[in-house]
Amino acid sequence: MARHDTRLTRRDALKGVAGLVLGFYLPGDAAKAQSGAARIFTPDAGAAAFAPNAFVRIGADDRVTVLIKHIEFGQGPFTGLATLVAEELDADWSKVRAEHAPSNPDLYKNLAFGMQGTGGSTAIANSYEQMRKAGATARAMLVEAAAQAWRVPAGEITVERGVLRHARTGRTGRFGQFAQAASHVPVPDNVPLKDAARFRLIGREGAVRRLDSASKANGTAQFTIDIREPDMLTVVVARPSRFGGKVVSFEAGDARAVRGVVDVKEVPSGVAVYAEGMWPALKGRERLRVTWDEAGAEKRSTDEIIEAYRELARKPGTVAGQHGDAEAALARGGRVIEAEYVFPYLAHAPMEPLDGFLHWDGQRALARLGSQLQTGDHQAIAGVLGLSPEQVRLETMLAGGSFGRRAQPTMELAVELAQVAKAIGPGRPVKLVWTREDDIRGGYYRPLFVHRLRGALRDGKIVAWANTAVGQTFLKGSPFEAMIKDGIDPLMVEGARELSYDIADFRCDVHTADVGVPTLWWRSVGHTHTGYAVECFVDELLQAAGQDPVAGRLAMMGKAPRHAGVLRAVADLARWSGPGPFNDRARGVAVVESFGSFIAQIAEVSAGGPEGPRVHRVWCAVDCGVAVNPDVIRAQMEGGIGFGLGHALFAEVELDEGRPVQGNFDTYRSLRIHEMPQVEVAIVRSAETPTGVGEPGVPPIAPAVANAMARLGLPRPRRLPMLRGLAS
Amino acid sequence: MAISIKVNGVRHSVDVDGDTPLLWVLRDALGLTGTKFGCGIAQCGACTVFLNGKPLRSCAFPIAALGDGEVTTIEGVNGRTARAVQRAWTARDVPQCGYCQSGQVMSAIALLSEVRRPTDRDIDLAMNGNICRCAAYVRIRAAIKDAARTLEG
Ligand code: FES
Ligand code: FES
């Protein structure tokens, strides 16, 4: 299939991008429907005079609009992808703006996925060439238009900051002046791209500022929750308190009596309350009496699930990676150390809860939501409403965070959105809103995991390593199932099935447990737990061997030059002189590669008080290939560190007989400003193809903190969050 | 029941139940959507507005309790302090997803209106009711200090 061919030819460019890349798979139905979906909306030029391709619009007013195929929910693709276009276009950055491209997989597919969507920190990686080509092509056409108008050779025209110039004749002109004429120039093939040495925006400190900062600082940025349309109804859904529950019957008299409540309908996910605003919707929902059938629901508590996992972890699982013979090496003696780590269910809790807008008139539908997998959401909405994809238009909105939550293989939000629209019938626009409690109790968590590790030391060296992981797979039964190879879901063991360290005898195996709690990728996916297990355990072994955490790691990184590079860089940045403790503070180290980016962090920690350890400073070195927007990279490292730290310290969703206990930020505790460490980031110079930064900042911080705690004489936390039961 | 409220200097009559939180009156009745919903239980600060110039979590404040109080939202802030804060926010590229930022900006304006030269501790105390799930805290702190410097100069 053509789609596969595209991917293969791109493989080199995308090498090192998430494991997601190679296994991404479009279900048969979606593949068939895809060509249809592609036709439904070919973006026109709008008011723009010049629309050379799907990504670039230039108006007579000189404004350059870049259509962004990736959702902007904080990680900076608006700015990043626009930078790539503006670089090759030699545009004036102050005239550049970005907007979301519509759903159209042919034009806007993620080249790493084969469908439109964002994830696996692929936005820059898969767009790097594509967006530069789009800019270079537009530039060549503007130059040609000017050459014809001025009757001079195109090769003599230069472009700088949105101005075309012919030095010999002293002529100059702005993009806007040639936009109209350029639209009649034939689109050239294979326009050459700039040599990196000539970059003026890419990788240049301070050359671009984010395109979305001002509207977010003054409240004018429009999110899905802000949509208001005439006759629109706000919808909240009462869902079962346990995963897998179903509606038996409901009594809605009291709910309907609430002023502003318009209707109440049963939908497959529960009972929907339709109202003229959020407050009456919530009041109505509170007054519903629903009888649930929970016979098929998951009824275990997290403590029981953990016990079951621990038992499994003592038996060998399916081998995910091995060399040598770890069991034999462990049996040979030396000093054998064992550790077990327990990781809780985690909610993503994006600041804007899940929401979506849909207007269906019976023939056509307009959906507007923070869609992260547009092609899937588009198909799902069309499917529920019995429309063809051509009859549905899906617009991506800015979203208040995602951290993975909006990338839904089961399209549960889009499906529920279409179902609530369908239940009330055509002609009533609906805005479906989840509350924070709906969100935190709504499942699709980072799966609970147990890792059991055993290692052997001989002559001060780590000679054997065995790791058994136990958890759930969320790929099974999803459109991504093809990623499961030889019975192994790679997302469960990424970062653990092979290590950057030279260890002679090694094994990693995995048990896949069956639990009725829906789970999902969560910012940095498997690395959220494997990064902690591996980096804590290697540190524990090095400590037992009396080795320095930096030097000890470097000695084992002979085959991992980029890991070693960031580790050296972070040690320099922090002026490393050992882990300490120095006075009351100690330093911990961790290095994790994820999504093709290499990150090392050093955390400086003191024991703190009853509120737990205090993280004062964090140094971070990142190698993500060519650094397109250094300041966006720094922002993502800072944010990733805060996100990772907050969850490691405070966050878990426990189940009590199957019911999620935590429900809002009072109990699902978030990092707050006074707990945020100072952060210093060094970006390692690299000429490699750029890789992502949205997720990779997260995994190293928790083990770095744990490793510092160990040097303070505290136990390395074996169960996360570090502060259990302190959530308030 | 018709309730009369003054928001951003303009008087409105809204027909809502008295227990309706101010947040939903602003967003659903008046269309002032800059003020955000994040938790509904006064935990996250996304819904921060000013009541008579002082920060208030509008999600947990019933409209009936407003009385003669004057409400200012992100749409209505202006003046030197607000400008300094918003400029600092843009110059530092503070926002990531941006969803918490109306509330952050409101809390920062409130802080700098009271304390011209806030210490780190002042910032911690004034800002720790505002959660940023993207953890843009490093820049929030730096931007507040930038704004304070502008206001001094
Ligand atoms: S929405 Fe009001 S504090 Fe969170
Ligand atoms: S910028 Fe995303 S929650 Fe603060």
Side-chain angles (χ1 to χ4, degrees):
Chain A
M1 270 162 36
R3 190 167 46 254
H4 287 273
D5 295 340
T6 316
R7 194 160 57 214
L8 285 174
T9 59
R10 302 260 173 196
R11 188 169 276 178
D12 275 350
L14 294 169
K15 193 170 54 190
V17 174
L20 207 52
V21 173
L22 299 174
F24 213 102
Y25 155 88
L26 206 59
D29 281 354
K32 261 186 264 132
Q34 192 188 49
S35 54
R39 279 198 308 276
I40 65 157
F41 186 72
T42 305
D44 52 30
F50 178 40
N53 50 51
F55 300 103
V56 183
R57 302 284 175 269
I58 298 176
D61 58 357
D62 298 334
R63 201 190 269 261
V64 176
T65 302
V66 183
L67 286 112
I68 308 295
K69 64 181 186 172
H70 291 290
I71 182 171
E72 175 63 86
F73 40 46
Q75 278 59 49
F78 266 28
T79 307
L81 270 55
T83 301
L84 300 174
V85 168
E87 176 68 66
E88 296 290 344
L89 189 56
D90 286 312
D92 173 358
W93 186 252
S94 70
K95 297 276 195 284
V96 176
R97 53 191 289 279
E99 62 184 52
H100 281 125
S103 165
N104 181 328
D106 274 5
L107 294 175
Y108 298 118
K109 63 179 167 281
N110 184 328
L111 301 176
F113 295 177
M115 63 187 257
Q116 194 171 347
T118 300
S121 296
T122 55
I124 288 280
N126 93 92
S127 309
Y128 189 56
E129 250 191 63
Q130 184 181 41
M131 296 303 281
R132 288 174 62 202
K133 275 192 178 144
T137 305
R139 180 188 187 279
M141 292 165 77
L142 287 164
V143 165
E144 182 56 34
Q148 286 173 14
W150 294 339
R151 297 171 198 283
V152 301
E156 290 178 14
I157 293 177
T158 57
V159 186
E160 211 181 323
R161 280 176 222 275
V163 178
L164 301 131
R165 188 183 311 272
H166 187 248
R168 203 156 45 76
T169 55
R171 290 184 196 255
T172 64
R174 290 170 292 101
F175 282 179
Q177 290 169 250
F178 294 101
Q180 191 68 49
S183 66
H184 303 300
V185 170
V187 181
D189 279 341
N190 292 325
V191 178
L193 300 181
K194 273 187 192 173
D195 188 80
R198 290 180 46 232
F199 286 164
R200 193 172 63 75
L201 301 178
I202 295 175
R204 297 280 173 268
E205 285 291 348
V208 306
R209 304 303 317 179
R210 279 186 68 138
L211 296 171
D212 48 350
S213 288
S215 68
K216 289 173 174 177
N218 65 22
T220 57
Q222 290 290 297
F223 298 87
T224 304
I225 202 168
D226 302 330
I227 294 172
R228 302 172 81 233
E229 292 290 338
D231 286 336
M232 183 186 84
L233 296 173
T234 302
V235 186
V236 297
V237 176
R239 301 180 190 83
S241 65
R242 290 185 168 112
F243 302 112
K246 299 255 178 297
V247 177
V248 176
S249 62
F250 65 98
E251 218 306 290
D254 291 352
R256 287 177 188 279
V258 172
R259 193 160 69 114
V261 169
V262 172
D263 213 338
V264 178
K265 297 276 184 196
E266 185 175 336
V267 292
S269 56
V271 179
V273 178
Y274 302 76
E276 286 161 353
M278 187 69 170
W279 188 245
L282 291 174
K283 268 169 84 171
R285 183 169 73 168
E286 231 163 68
R287 285 163 179 66
L288 280 177
R289 279 192 302 277
V290 185
T291 309
W292 303 98
D293 169 10
E294 298 193 321
E298 176 62 61
K299 294 199 193 65
R300 277 180 287 176
S301 297
T302 28
D303 282 344
E304 293 168 69
I305 296 171
I306 291 168
E307 270 327 299
Y309 282 16
R310 296 174 90 156
E311 220 159 274
L312 272 176
R314 314 205 80 78
K315 301 174 196 143
T318 311
V319 173
Q322 71 176 337
H323 54 259
D325 187 341
E327 280 315 320
L330 285 163
R332 263 201 300 279
R335 185 162 170 207
V336 173
I337 293 177
E338 196 176 324
E340 192 183 77
Y341 301 96
V342 178
F343 302 89
Y345 286 117
L346 292 176
H348 308 71
M351 203 72 214
E352 178 186 18
L354 297 185
D355 44 14
F357 169 87
L358 186 66
H359 189 179
W360 171 53
D361 67 6
Q363 308 298 315
R364 286 166 308 136
L366 168 66
R368 307 177 71 201
L369 72 160
S371 176
Q372 192 171 344
L373 296 176
Q374 287 90 341
T375 305
D377 288 345
H378 193 152
Q379 302 295 339
I381 289 167
V384 170
L385 295 176
L387 300 175
S388 67
E390 291 86 344
Q391 293 168 297
V392 177
R393 173 171 169 148
L394 183 138
E395 293 179 358
T396 304
M397 298 291 290
L398 290 177
S402 169
F403 316 121
R405 184 66 183 93
R406 298 180 203 271
Q408 304 176 344
T410 57
M411 280 69 85
E412 66 270 14
L413 177 68
V415 166
E416 188 180 66
L417 175 62
Q419 283 165 343
V420 301
K422 190 175 178 183
I424 193 141
R428 274 328 281 261
V430 293
K431 180 166 75 177
L432 171 69
V433 182
W434 288 39
T435 62
R436 181 59 58 201
E437 288 81 3
D438 296 341
D439 168 52
I440 292 179
R441 300 209 167 110
Y444 296 94
Y445 304 130
R446 191 286 303 276
L448 192 153
F449 261 84
V450 169
H451 280 262
R452 176 172 178 242
L453 288 112
R454 288 168 301 146
L457 290 170
R458 247 190 323 274
D459 309 323
K461 272 187 69 168
I462 303 172
V463 294
W465 179 289
N467 178 0
T468 301
V470 187
Q472 278 171 261
T473 171
F474 49 82
L475 295 181
K476 204 168 145 218
S478 87
F480 301 87
E481 185 157 344
M483 287 172 74
I484 299 178
K485 292 263 153 61
D486 303 324
I488 294 166
D489 168 353
L491 304 184
M492 295 174 72
V493 286
E494 56 183 358
R497 74 195 305 182
E498 51 185 39
L499 303 184
S500 55
Y501 305 116
D502 299 322
I503 296 172
D505 293 288
F506 169 87
R507 196 189 71 233
C508 170
D509 53 54
V510 59
H511 295 277
T512 307
D514 214 358
V515 181
V517 178
T519 59
L520 188 59
W521 31 55
W522 186 98
R523 197 175 184 181
S524 79
V525 200
H527 301 281
T528 57
H529 48 93
T530 62
Y532 189 84
V534 168
E535 283 299 291
C536 281
F537 195 58
V538 79
D539 208 79
E540 184 165 344
L541 292 171
L542 289 173
Q543 190 172 4
Q547 293 199 38
D548 178 83
V550 172
R553 279 178 174 81
L554 284 172
M556 297 187 289
M557 284 178 170
K559 292 191 214 69
R562 293 178 79 187
H563 289 83
V566 288
L567 182 53
R568 281 196 201 93
V570 80
D572 283 351
L573 189 67
R575 297 172 201 281
W576 178 259
S577 61
F582 310 102
N583 299 318
D584 63 336
R585 298 185 184 186
R587 290 173 166 197
V589 180
V591 191
V592 180
E593 176 204 350
S594 60
F595 310 96
S597 293
F598 301 77
I599 318 277
Q601 291 171 6
I602 292 175
E604 187 171 282
V605 179
S606 65
E611 306 231 304
R614 174 115 191 100
V615 184
H616 300 269
R617 300 186 68 178
V618 176
W619 294 269
C620 173
V622 45
D623 171 358
C624 55
V626 172
V628 174
N629 295 114
D631 200 51
V632 170
I633 295 168
R634 274 193 294 273
Q636 285 308 302
M637 293 303 116
E638 295 161 8
I641 287 164
F643 188 83
L645 178 61
H647 290 89
L649 288 173
F650 309 120
E652 69 177 318
V653 179
E654 294 167 288
L655 303 179
D656 178 14
E657 298 184 352
R659 293 190 184 88
V661 174
Q662 288 75 12
N664 205 320
F665 292 131
D666 51 348
T667 47
Y668 193 72
R669 173 87 150 72
S670 217
L671 194 83
R672 292 178 183 271
I673 193 168
H674 63 285
E675 292 147 345
M676 181 75 200
Q678 277 180 44
V679 177
E680 233 180 288
V681 179
I683 300 170
V684 173
R685 262 187 177 287
S686 168
E688 303 277 341
T689 308
T691 43
V693 293
E695 298 171 271
V698 174
I701 183 61
V705 169
N707 292 335
M709 288 168 72
R711 302 291 175 156
L712 288 166
L714 301 166
R716 256 186 205 81
R718 295 286 172 86
R719 180 165 179 182
L720 293 181
M722 295 177 180
L723 299 168
R724 300 198 58 240
L726 272 182
S728 67
Chain B
M1 142 179 112
I3 298 176
S4 167
I5 61 169
K6 196 166 175 190
V7 180
N8 299 333
V10 180
R11 200 152 268 294
H12 301 267
S13 171
V14 292
D15 185 21
V16 297
D17 287 351
D19 63 353
T20 309
L22 174 59
L23 171 66
W24 300 115
V25 175
L26 295 171
R27 291 184 54 85
D28 288 345
L30 303 183
L32 296 170
T33 55
T35 306
K36 300 302 191 218
F37 164 69
C39 70
I41 58 162
Q43 282 288 320
C44 77
C47 63
T48 305
V49 299
F50 299 156
L51 174 58
N52 300 326
K54 297 268 181 287
L56 172 83
R57 310 293 182 226
S58 64
C59 68
F61 190 87
I63 190 74
L66 194 59
D68 290 334
E70 293 198 14
V71 177
T72 310
T73 68
I74 185 85
E75 291 87 353
V77 290
N78 50 40
R80 212 168 147 243
T81 309
R83 272 198 303 280
V85 167
Q86 285 174 327
R87 278 206 195 120
W89 244 247
T90 308
R92 283 257 176 202
D93 281 340
V94 172
Q96 290 190 27
C97 81
Y99 191 79
C100 74
Q101 296 296 343
S102 297
Q104 305 281 0
V105 163
M106 295 300 279
S107 292
I109 295 170
L111 166 65
L112 288 170
S113 306
E114 292 273 315
V115 187
R116 277 301 183 191
R117 248 192 183 186
T119 61
D120 279 318
R121 174 138 180 89
D122 294 329
I123 295 175
D124 285 347
L125 290 174
M127 302 299 296
N128 77 12
N130 287 86
I131 291 174
C132 176
R133 290 289 293 166
C134 301
Y137 297 123
V138 168
R139 289 167 191 234
I140 290 170
R141 184 183 300 280
I144 289 173
K145 292 180 178 174
D146 292 348
R149 271 190 295 275
T150 322
L151 289 167
E152 272 189 359

